[in-house]
Amino acid sequence: AGWTASPPEGVPMGALELPPLERPMFTLMRHWPVQRAINLIGMHHFIGWRGAALPCQMAPHLGVITGPDGSPASAVNAGRLLQRVWLGAQNLGLAFQMFAASAVYAFEGAYPLPEKLRCRLESGWAAMCPNARPYLVFRLGYADPVSLRSKRILPESLLT
């Protein structure tokens, strides 16, 4: 669908809100040989930095939703709190962006990643939240209106 239209299903490229200079690289990354080549030169580190580390460093407000342990009940309560915080931010006219990966990756068995990285994340979170487990990380601030929204699938198309 390109950068200006929304496909019938999925997230449109324009919803990434990338600056025009970054768009050609993302378009090229659709091709596996290009993706492998740029990963060899470490582009995945830049993408991670650009997608999460930089926005966190520039965020006027960061928040973490924690729970007392890693139980399913704590996860459900964290989700409920997320809904309240998100809706409250919307009512105040704030933009809300999730960064769940670093909190989720710290949970043992939650995602297949190297144990060294998981332990590093877990110890970092333990230092910041000594008596709790982080579930969700988010940033709040003001942002320009989005330039493109995803289309919603018509309910009739889901019926078999």
Side-chain angles (χ1 to χ4, degrees), residues 1 4 7 15 21 24 47 54 57 63 67 69 75 89 97 101 107 119 121 135 138-141 147 153 156 158:
T4 57
L21 289 175
I47 292 170
L54 181 64
Q57 291 170 355
D69 55 30
Q97 183 180 11
F107 278 86
C119 289
L121 288 168
Y135 283 93
F138 59 90
R139 73 178 184 151
L140 291 172
S147 60
I153 299 172
E156 295 82 25
L158 300 174

PDB file of all heavy atoms in Angstrom, residues 1 4 7 15 21 24 47 54 57 63 67 69 75 89 97 101 107 119 121 135 138-141 147 153 156 158:
ATOM      1  N   ALA A   1       0.818  -1.197   0.000  1.00  0.00           N
ATOM      2  CA  ALA A   1       0.000   0.000   0.000  1.00  0.00           C
ATOM      3  C   ALA A   1       0.858   1.257   0.000  1.00  0.00           C
ATOM      4  O   ALA A   1       0.334   2.341  -0.119  1.00  0.00           O
ATOM      5  CB  ALA A   1      -0.923  -0.011   1.215  1.00  0.00           C
ATOM      6  N   THR A   4       1.406   6.088   1.832  1.00  0.00           N
ATOM      7  CA  THR A   4       0.294   7.031   1.973  1.00  0.00           C
ATOM      8  C   THR A   4      -1.076   6.370   2.026  1.00  0.00           C
ATOM      9  O   THR A   4      -2.063   7.044   2.269  1.00  0.00           O
ATOM     10  CB  THR A   4       0.291   8.026   0.796  1.00  0.00           C
ATOM     11  OG1 THR A   4       0.206   7.293  -0.431  1.00  0.00           O
ATOM     12  CG2 THR A   4       1.553   8.870   0.806  1.00  0.00           C
ATOM     13  N   PRO A   7      -3.550  -0.622   3.784  1.00  0.00           N
ATOM     14  CA  PRO A   7      -3.986  -1.879   3.163  1.00  0.00           C
ATOM     15  C   PRO A   7      -5.261  -2.383   3.823  1.00  0.00           C
ATOM     16  O   PRO A   7      -5.601  -1.966   4.929  1.00  0.00           O
ATOM     17  CB  PRO A   7      -2.813  -2.829   3.430  1.00  0.00           C
ATOM     18  CG  PRO A   7      -2.196  -2.303   4.678  1.00  0.00           C
ATOM     19  CD  PRO A   7      -2.382  -0.819   4.637  1.00  0.00           C
ATOM     20  N   ALA A  15       1.966   4.298   8.981  1.00  0.00           N
ATOM     21  CA  ALA A  15       1.681   4.369  10.413  1.00  0.00           C
ATOM     22  C   ALA A  15       2.954   4.361  11.246  1.00  0.00           C
ATOM     23  O   ALA A  15       2.923   4.696  12.425  1.00  0.00           O
ATOM     24  CB  ALA A  15       0.775   3.221  10.829  1.00  0.00           C
ATOM     25  N   LEU A  21      13.581  10.504   4.986  1.00  0.00           N
ATOM     26  CA  LEU A  21      14.923   9.970   4.744  1.00  0.00           C
ATOM     27  C   LEU A  21      15.070   8.505   5.166  1.00  0.00           C
ATOM     28  O   LEU A  21      15.920   7.794   4.640  1.00  0.00           O
ATOM     29  CB  LEU A  21      15.969  10.809   5.475  1.00  0.00           C
ATOM     30  CG  LEU A  21      16.225  12.200   4.907  1.00  0.00           C
ATOM     31  CD1 LEU A  21      17.183  12.972   5.801  1.00  0.00           C
ATOM     32  CD2 LEU A  21      16.781  12.105   3.497  1.00  0.00           C
ATOM     33  N   PRO A  24      13.207   4.853   2.495  1.00  0.00           N
ATOM     34  CA  PRO A  24      13.769   3.930   1.489  1.00  0.00           C
ATOM     35  C   PRO A  24      14.422   2.694   2.113  1.00  0.00           C
ATOM     36  O   PRO A  24      14.289   1.587   1.588  1.00  0.00           O
ATOM     37  CB  PRO A  24      14.803   4.786   0.756  1.00  0.00           C
ATOM     38  CG  PRO A  24      14.333   6.184   0.940  1.00  0.00           C
ATOM     39  CD  PRO A  24      13.702   6.216   2.303  1.00  0.00           C
ATOM     40  N   ILE A  47      18.451   0.096  14.379  1.00  0.00           N
ATOM     41  CA  ILE A  47      16.988   0.050  14.375  1.00  0.00           C
ATOM     42  C   ILE A  47      16.464  -0.042  15.807  1.00  0.00           C
ATOM     43  O   ILE A  47      15.495   0.615  16.165  1.00  0.00           O
ATOM     44  CB  ILE A  47      16.481  -1.103  13.491  1.00  0.00           C
ATOM     45  CG1 ILE A  47      16.803  -0.804  12.027  1.00  0.00           C
ATOM     46  CG2 ILE A  47      14.996  -1.327  13.681  1.00  0.00           C
ATOM     47  CD1 ILE A  47      16.572  -1.960  11.093  1.00  0.00           C
ATOM     48  N   LEU A  54      16.302   5.673  21.697  1.00  0.00           N
ATOM     49  CA  LEU A  54      16.225   7.117  21.433  1.00  0.00           C
ATOM     50  C   LEU A  54      14.897   7.721  21.884  1.00  0.00           C
ATOM     51  O   LEU A  54      14.886   8.735  22.586  1.00  0.00           O
ATOM     52  CB  LEU A  54      16.483   7.404  19.955  1.00  0.00           C
ATOM     53  CG  LEU A  54      16.444   8.876  19.548  1.00  0.00           C
ATOM     54  CD1 LEU A  54      17.558   9.656  20.233  1.00  0.00           C
ATOM     55  CD2 LEU A  54      16.558   9.009  18.035  1.00  0.00           C
ATOM     56  N   GLN A  57      14.962   8.098  25.606  1.00  0.00           N
ATOM     57  CA  GLN A  57      15.845   9.173  26.050  1.00  0.00           C
ATOM     58  C   GLN A  57      15.220  10.547  25.810  1.00  0.00           C
ATOM     59  O   GLN A  57      15.473  11.485  26.555  1.00  0.00           O
ATOM     60  CB  GLN A  57      17.192   9.086  25.347  1.00  0.00           C
ATOM     61  CG  GLN A  57      18.003   7.888  25.783  1.00  0.00           C
ATOM     62  CD  GLN A  57      19.235   7.679  24.917  1.00  0.00           C
ATOM     63  OE1 GLN A  57      19.456   8.374  23.931  1.00  0.00           O
ATOM     64  NE2 GLN A  57      20.029   6.680  25.269  1.00  0.00           N
ATOM     65  N   GLY A  63       7.124   5.722  32.151  1.00  0.00           N
ATOM     66  CA  GLY A  63       6.424   5.017  33.215  1.00  0.00           C
ATOM     67  C   GLY A  63       6.645   3.522  33.109  1.00  0.00           C
ATOM     68  O   GLY A  63       6.925   2.998  32.038  1.00  0.00           O
ATOM     69  N   GLY A  67       4.235  -5.354  39.014  1.00  0.00           N
ATOM     70  CA  GLY A  67       3.397  -6.207  39.846  1.00  0.00           C
ATOM     71  C   GLY A  67       4.267  -6.855  40.905  1.00  0.00           C
ATOM     72  O   GLY A  67       5.496  -6.856  40.794  1.00  0.00           O
ATOM     73  N   ASP A  69       4.765  -9.959  41.602  1.00  0.00           N
ATOM     74  CA  ASP A  69       5.429 -11.198  41.204  1.00  0.00           C
ATOM     75  C   ASP A  69       5.135 -11.479  39.733  1.00  0.00           C
ATOM     76  O   ASP A  69       4.549 -10.653  39.047  1.00  0.00           O
ATOM     77  CB  ASP A  69       4.964 -12.364  42.080  1.00  0.00           C
ATOM     78  CG  ASP A  69       3.441 -12.520  42.085  1.00  0.00           C
ATOM     79  OD1 ASP A  69       2.796 -12.180  41.074  1.00  0.00           O
ATOM     80  OD2 ASP A  69       2.897 -12.973  43.099  1.00  0.00           O
ATOM     81  N   ALA A  75      -0.158 -10.228  35.983  1.00  0.00           N
ATOM     82  CA  ALA A  75      -0.172  -9.820  34.576  1.00  0.00           C
ATOM     83  C   ALA A  75      -1.526  -9.237  34.195  1.00  0.00           C
ATOM     84  O   ALA A  75      -1.604  -8.211  33.511  1.00  0.00           O
ATOM     85  CB  ALA A  75       0.171 -11.012  33.686  1.00  0.00           C
ATOM     86  N   ALA A  89      -4.407   9.150  29.870  1.00  0.00           N
ATOM     87  CA  ALA A  89      -3.510   9.936  29.015  1.00  0.00           C
ATOM     88  C   ALA A  89      -4.270  10.500  27.820  1.00  0.00           C
ATOM     89  O   ALA A  89      -4.082  11.665  27.440  1.00  0.00           O
ATOM     90  CB  ALA A  89      -2.339   9.070  28.551  1.00  0.00           C
ATOM     91  N   GLN A  97       2.988   5.679  24.139  1.00  0.00           N
ATOM     92  CA  GLN A  97       3.719   4.695  23.337  1.00  0.00           C
ATOM     93  C   GLN A  97       4.253   3.607  24.244  1.00  0.00           C
ATOM     94  O   GLN A  97       4.903   3.885  25.252  1.00  0.00           O
ATOM     95  CB  GLN A  97       4.867   5.342  22.574  1.00  0.00           C
ATOM     96  CG  GLN A  97       5.597   4.378  21.670  1.00  0.00           C
ATOM     97  CD  GLN A  97       6.734   5.019  20.905  1.00  0.00           C
ATOM     98  OE1 GLN A  97       7.132   6.139  21.163  1.00  0.00           O
ATOM     99  NE2 GLN A  97       7.269   4.285  19.941  1.00  0.00           N
ATOM    100  N   ALA A 101       8.948  -4.701  25.344  1.00  0.00           N
ATOM    101  CA  ALA A 101       9.942  -5.755  25.114  1.00  0.00           C
ATOM    102  C   ALA A 101      10.911  -5.933  26.271  1.00  0.00           C
ATOM    103  O   ALA A 101      11.125  -7.057  26.724  1.00  0.00           O
ATOM    104  CB  ALA A 101      10.703  -5.472  23.828  1.00  0.00           C
ATOM    105  N   PHE A 107      11.391 -11.889  31.658  1.00  0.00           N
ATOM    106  CA  PHE A 107      10.697 -13.048  32.229  1.00  0.00           C
ATOM    107  C   PHE A 107      11.285 -14.333  31.656  1.00  0.00           C
ATOM    108  O   PHE A 107      11.343 -14.502  30.433  1.00  0.00           O
ATOM    109  CB  PHE A 107       9.195 -12.999  31.912  1.00  0.00           C
ATOM    110  CG  PHE A 107       8.409 -12.133  32.830  1.00  0.00           C
ATOM    111  CD1 PHE A 107       8.283 -10.776  32.585  1.00  0.00           C
ATOM    112  CD2 PHE A 107       7.794 -12.672  33.947  1.00  0.00           C
ATOM    113  CE1 PHE A 107       7.553  -9.964  33.424  1.00  0.00           C
ATOM    114  CE2 PHE A 107       7.054 -11.873  34.793  1.00  0.00           C
ATOM    115  CZ  PHE A 107       6.931 -10.521  34.543  1.00  0.00           C
ATOM    116  N   CYS A 119      19.190 -12.450  31.489  1.00  0.00           N
ATOM    117  CA  CYS A 119      19.702 -12.200  32.844  1.00  0.00           C
ATOM    118  C   CYS A 119      20.120 -10.742  33.027  1.00  0.00           C
ATOM    119  O   CYS A 119      19.914 -10.162  34.093  1.00  0.00           O
ATOM    120  CB  CYS A 119      20.865 -13.130  33.146  1.00  0.00           C
ATOM    121  SG  CYS A 119      20.375 -14.840  33.381  1.00  0.00           S
ATOM    122  N   LEU A 121      18.788  -8.135  31.476  1.00  0.00           N
ATOM    123  CA  LEU A 121      17.551  -7.372  31.616  1.00  0.00           C
ATOM    124  C   LEU A 121      16.937  -7.587  32.998  1.00  0.00           C
ATOM    125  O   LEU A 121      16.512  -6.637  33.657  1.00  0.00           O
ATOM    126  CB  LEU A 121      16.551  -7.766  30.531  1.00  0.00           C
ATOM    127  CG  LEU A 121      16.860  -7.302  29.119  1.00  0.00           C
ATOM    128  CD1 LEU A 121      15.960  -8.003  28.120  1.00  0.00           C
ATOM    129  CD2 LEU A 121      16.734  -5.800  29.005  1.00  0.00           C
ATOM    130  N   TYR A 135       6.093  -5.101  34.047  1.00  0.00           N
ATOM    131  CA  TYR A 135       5.283  -5.710  32.996  1.00  0.00           C
ATOM    132  C   TYR A 135       5.274  -4.856  31.735  1.00  0.00           C
ATOM    133  O   TYR A 135       5.315  -5.375  30.634  1.00  0.00           O
ATOM    134  CB  TYR A 135       3.844  -5.929  33.469  1.00  0.00           C
ATOM    135  CG  TYR A 135       3.709  -7.116  34.383  1.00  0.00           C
ATOM    136  CD1 TYR A 135       3.790  -6.968  35.755  1.00  0.00           C
ATOM    137  CD2 TYR A 135       3.520  -8.380  33.872  1.00  0.00           C
ATOM    138  CE1 TYR A 135       3.685  -8.055  36.594  1.00  0.00           C
ATOM    139  CE2 TYR A 135       3.417  -9.480  34.705  1.00  0.00           C
ATOM    140  CZ  TYR A 135       3.502  -9.306  36.063  1.00  0.00           C
ATOM    141  OH  TYR A 135       3.402 -10.391  36.888  1.00  0.00           O
ATOM    142  N   PHE A 138       6.308   2.488  29.219  1.00  0.00           N
ATOM    143  CA  PHE A 138       5.651   3.378  28.263  1.00  0.00           C
ATOM    144  C   PHE A 138       6.211   4.788  28.404  1.00  0.00           C
ATOM    145  O   PHE A 138       6.839   5.128  29.401  1.00  0.00           O
ATOM    146  CB  PHE A 138       4.131   3.386  28.463  1.00  0.00           C
ATOM    147  CG  PHE A 138       3.691   3.819  29.829  1.00  0.00           C
ATOM    148  CD1 PHE A 138       3.431   5.156  30.110  1.00  0.00           C
ATOM    149  CD2 PHE A 138       3.544   2.894  30.850  1.00  0.00           C
ATOM    150  CE1 PHE A 138       3.038   5.560  31.372  1.00  0.00           C
ATOM    151  CE2 PHE A 138       3.144   3.281  32.116  1.00  0.00           C
ATOM    152  CZ  PHE A 138       2.888   4.616  32.378  1.00  0.00           C
ATOM    153  N   ARG A 139       5.977   5.568  27.376  1.00  0.00           N
ATOM    154  CA  ARG A 139       6.320   6.986  27.443  1.00  0.00           C
ATOM    155  C   ARG A 139       5.078   7.800  27.161  1.00  0.00           C
ATOM    156  O   ARG A 139       4.188   7.378  26.420  1.00  0.00           O
ATOM    157  CB  ARG A 139       7.458   7.347  26.501  1.00  0.00           C
ATOM    158  CG  ARG A 139       7.106   7.375  25.039  1.00  0.00           C
ATOM    159  CD  ARG A 139       8.302   7.795  24.203  1.00  0.00           C
ATOM    160  NE  ARG A 139       7.929   7.898  22.814  1.00  0.00           N
ATOM    161  CZ  ARG A 139       8.490   8.716  21.954  1.00  0.00           C
ATOM    162  NH1 ARG A 139       9.470   9.503  22.326  1.00  0.00           N
ATOM    163  NH2 ARG A 139       8.086   8.765  20.708  1.00  0.00           N
ATOM    164  N   LEU A 140       5.039   8.978  27.745  1.00  0.00           N
ATOM    165  CA  LEU A 140       3.930   9.914  27.558  1.00  0.00           C
ATOM    166  C   LEU A 140       4.489  11.241  27.088  1.00  0.00           C
ATOM    167  O   LEU A 140       5.589  11.635  27.477  1.00  0.00           O
ATOM    168  CB  LEU A 140       3.195  10.151  28.881  1.00  0.00           C
ATOM    169  CG  LEU A 140       2.406   8.996  29.460  1.00  0.00           C
ATOM    170  CD1 LEU A 140       1.925   9.351  30.856  1.00  0.00           C
ATOM    171  CD2 LEU A 140       1.227   8.671  28.573  1.00  0.00           C
ATOM    172  N   GLY A 141       3.736  11.920  26.299  1.00  0.00           N
ATOM    173  CA  GLY A 141       4.139  13.242  25.847  1.00  0.00           C
ATOM    174  C   GLY A 141       3.128  13.791  24.863  1.00  0.00           C
ATOM    175  O   GLY A 141       2.031  13.246  24.696  1.00  0.00           O
ATOM    176  N   SER A 147      -0.554  10.698  10.734  1.00  0.00           N
ATOM    177  CA  SER A 147      -0.837  11.016   9.337  1.00  0.00           C
ATOM    178  C   SER A 147      -1.621   9.910   8.635  1.00  0.00           C
ATOM    179  O   SER A 147      -2.203  10.137   7.585  1.00  0.00           O
ATOM    180  CB  SER A 147       0.478  11.270   8.586  1.00  0.00           C
ATOM    181  OG  SER A 147       1.298  10.123   8.634  1.00  0.00           O
ATOM    182  N   ILE A 153     -11.005  -4.022   9.760  1.00  0.00           N
ATOM    183  CA  ILE A 153     -11.644  -5.083   8.993  1.00  0.00           C
ATOM    184  C   ILE A 153     -13.127  -5.069   9.316  1.00  0.00           C
ATOM    185  O   ILE A 153     -13.518  -4.956  10.480  1.00  0.00           O
ATOM    186  CB  ILE A 153     -11.030  -6.451   9.358  1.00  0.00           C
ATOM    187  CG1 ILE A 153      -9.546  -6.461   9.016  1.00  0.00           C
ATOM    188  CG2 ILE A 153     -11.753  -7.577   8.639  1.00  0.00           C
ATOM    189  CD1 ILE A 153      -8.820  -7.699   9.515  1.00  0.00           C
ATOM    190  N   GLU A 156     -18.251  -8.342   8.971  1.00  0.00           N
ATOM    191  CA  GLU A 156     -18.855  -9.311   8.061  1.00  0.00           C
ATOM    192  C   GLU A 156     -17.782 -10.182   7.384  1.00  0.00           C
ATOM    193  O   GLU A 156     -18.024 -11.331   7.041  1.00  0.00           O
ATOM    194  CB  GLU A 156     -19.683  -8.610   6.979  1.00  0.00           C
ATOM    195  CG  GLU A 156     -20.898  -7.877   7.500  1.00  0.00           C
ATOM    196  CD  GLU A 156     -20.548  -6.487   8.049  1.00  0.00           C
ATOM    197  OE1 GLU A 156     -19.533  -5.892   7.636  1.00  0.00           O
ATOM    198  OE2 GLU A 156     -21.295  -6.019   8.916  1.00  0.00           O
ATOM    199  N   LEU A 158     -15.245 -11.442   8.716  1.00  0.00           N
ATOM    200  CA  LEU A 158     -14.739 -12.445   9.640  1.00  0.00           C
ATOM    201  C   LEU A 158     -15.666 -13.628   9.789  1.00  0.00           C
ATOM    202  O   LEU A 158     -15.295 -14.653  10.339  1.00  0.00           O
ATOM    203  CB  LEU A 158     -14.502 -11.810  11.018  1.00  0.00           C
ATOM    204  CG  LEU A 158     -13.501 -10.661  11.057  1.00  0.00           C
ATOM    205  CD1 LEU A 158     -13.480 -10.034  12.434  1.00  0.00           C
ATOM    206  CD2 LEU A 158     -12.113 -11.135  10.659  1.00  0.00           C
TER     207      LEU A 158
END
